Amino acid sequence: MSTADSIGARLGELLSLEDKGIYSLHRMAVYVVVGVALAFFGFPIYWMVISSFKPRESILAYPPEFIPSEITLANYERLFFETAYATWLTNSLIVTGGVIVLSVGLSTLAGYALTRYRIPYKKSFAAIFILAYMFPPITLGVPYFIIFLNLGLIDTLPAVMLGTTAFTLPFCTWLMWQFFQTVPISLEEAAWSNGASRIRGIFEVAIPSAAPGIVAVTIYSFALGWNNFLFAFIFLQSPDQQVLTTGIQNFLQGSQIVWSNLMAAAAVLSLPPILLVLFLNRYIMAGFAVQAN
């Protein structure tokens, strides 16, 4: 090997080592930033959870106990047996279930129709769905209240269900329209050639192929239905009709805050969304990363 080749090889090795060093520093910096972000955003959740298991007198103790010396379930016992929390939880489950069924069912059929049928200006029509989010939910509260008042739905769970669905449906329809574009029409044509009807092809071929998008729509509908406060606050009046987000206000009694109940209630309220995202994360990413044709 000539001297020039040796020098070139040596320089190549040095550059390779330098690139590896830069890559390692970059990766370390990313880990540090992610760790700091997790600590910053995760600490309130950690504090909420451990406070829900502390005795009442320990929650506001100074200095604070970051690792509780005593664990108790008394806060959860009082929450479910001495308050109406179980009723609020049931109402939230009913509202959220209704929002999911309506949003997923209607948006799936609408998204399929926009993709498979020849609708004039359907791209502009689908884009209008996104424009609906220019209007914040508070601007829809009064019109919805008047409509539901005339329909006799005020102070009923269906009012919250319908109001939330009206807000979730545009984005869900747009997302399903995007996702059905990634499902080849040839799959349905193969089913039709084997004697399947159009309806059977939709439910046995197209919809199963769009499962990740349906899961993403389900999670989005769940998030808005479960955490809905505005429409529940406007439409619900009776104590036995409250949902979790509005019922928790009862623990804020003027200047006195029942921290033990509040921490336990918030922990239960936060648990389902966290578990849902944790176990269905890959479907969420697949649904929201889809690209339209």
Side-chain angles (χ1 to χ4, degrees):
M1 180 182 294
S2 64
T3 304
D5 292 339
S6 298
I7 295 174
R10 183 58 179 168
L11 287 174
E13 292 177 2
L14 291 174
L15 290 174
S16 177
L17 290 173
E18 183 179 356
D19 290 341
K20 289 180 180 178
I22 293 174
Y23 174 74
S24 298
L25 290 174
H26 174 73
R27 184 170 59 178
M28 185 180 298
V30 170
Y31 288 157
V32 170
V33 172
V34 171
V36 171
L38 286 175
F40 181 79
F41 292 104
F43 180 76
I45 299 176
Y46 169 76
W47 187 255
M48 173 188 68
V49 173
I50 65 169
S51 297
S52 68
F53 290 101
K54 290 181 179 180
R56 283 183 174 181
E57 59 276 6
S58 299
I59 295 178
L60 299 179
Y62 185 84
E65 295 182 351
F66 295 102
I67 299 178
S69 57
E70 182 182 352
I71 300 296
T72 179
L73 295 176
N75 297 332
Y76 289 95
E77 292 176 359
R78 283 193 299 269
L79 183 68
F80 282 97
F81 296 108
E82 298 180 12
T83 71
Y85 195 82
T87 301
W88 307 335
L89 177 60
T90 302
N91 293 340
S92 286
L93 291 173
I94 293 173
V95 169
T96 304
V99 170
I100 291 174
V101 170
L102 291 174
S103 298
V104 173
L106 294 176
S107 65
T108 300
L109 296 177
Y112 178 87
L114 286 172
T115 305
R116 295 292 189 254
Y117 292 98
R118 294 181 179 179
I119 302 175
Y121 307 105
K122 65 179 179 181
K123 288 189 176 181
S124 300
F125 183 67
I128 293 175
F129 291 138
I130 301 301
L131 294 179
Y133 287 89
M134 293 178 60
F135 304 96
I138 189 63
T139 61
L140 304 175
V142 174
Y144 284 169
F145 184 87
I146 296 174
I147 293 173
F148 293 145
L149 182 63
N150 292 329
L151 294 175
L153 294 177
I154 292 299
D155 200 26
T156 64
L157 298 180
V160 183
M161 205 180 296
L162 293 174
T164 307
T165 301
F167 190 73
T168 60
L169 193 57
F171 179 76
C172 292
T173 301
W174 180 84
L175 182 61
M176 291 308 302
W177 168 66
Q178 293 258 49
F179 206 92
F180 272 119
Q181 292 182 64
T182 67
V183 179
I185 186 65
S186 59
L187 296 178
E188 293 177 75
E189 291 174 344
W192 300 336
S193 64
N194 289 327
S197 63
R198 185 65 181 258
I199 299 297
R200 187 176 177 183
I202 293 174
F203 286 96
E204 294 187 7
V205 178
I207 290 180
S209 299
I214 294 175
V215 172
V217 166
T218 300
I219 294 173
Y220 177 76
S221 303
F222 172 85
L224 268 66
W226 185 257
N227 296 309
N228 187 304
F229 172 80
L230 179 65
F231 292 146
F233 181 76
I234 293 175
F235 302 147
L236 302 179
Q237 300 170 354
S238 302
D240 60 343
Q241 292 292 321
Q242 300 300 311
V243 294
L244 288 178
T245 50
T246 55
I248 288 178
Q249 291 185 105
N250 293 317
F251 302 140
L252 306 175
Q253 302 170 357
S255 59
Q256 182 182 3
I257 300 177
V258 187
W259 286 107
S260 57
N261 289 353
L262 185 60
M263 292 295 102
V268 175
L269 178 63
S270 305
L271 184 60
I274 293 175
L275 293 178
L276 197 65
V277 172
L278 182 63
F279 289 106
L280 300 178
N281 180 62
R282 64 190 183 97
Y283 292 104
I284 300 174
M285 301 309 297
F288 284 101
V290 65
Q291 296 293 326
N293 295 326

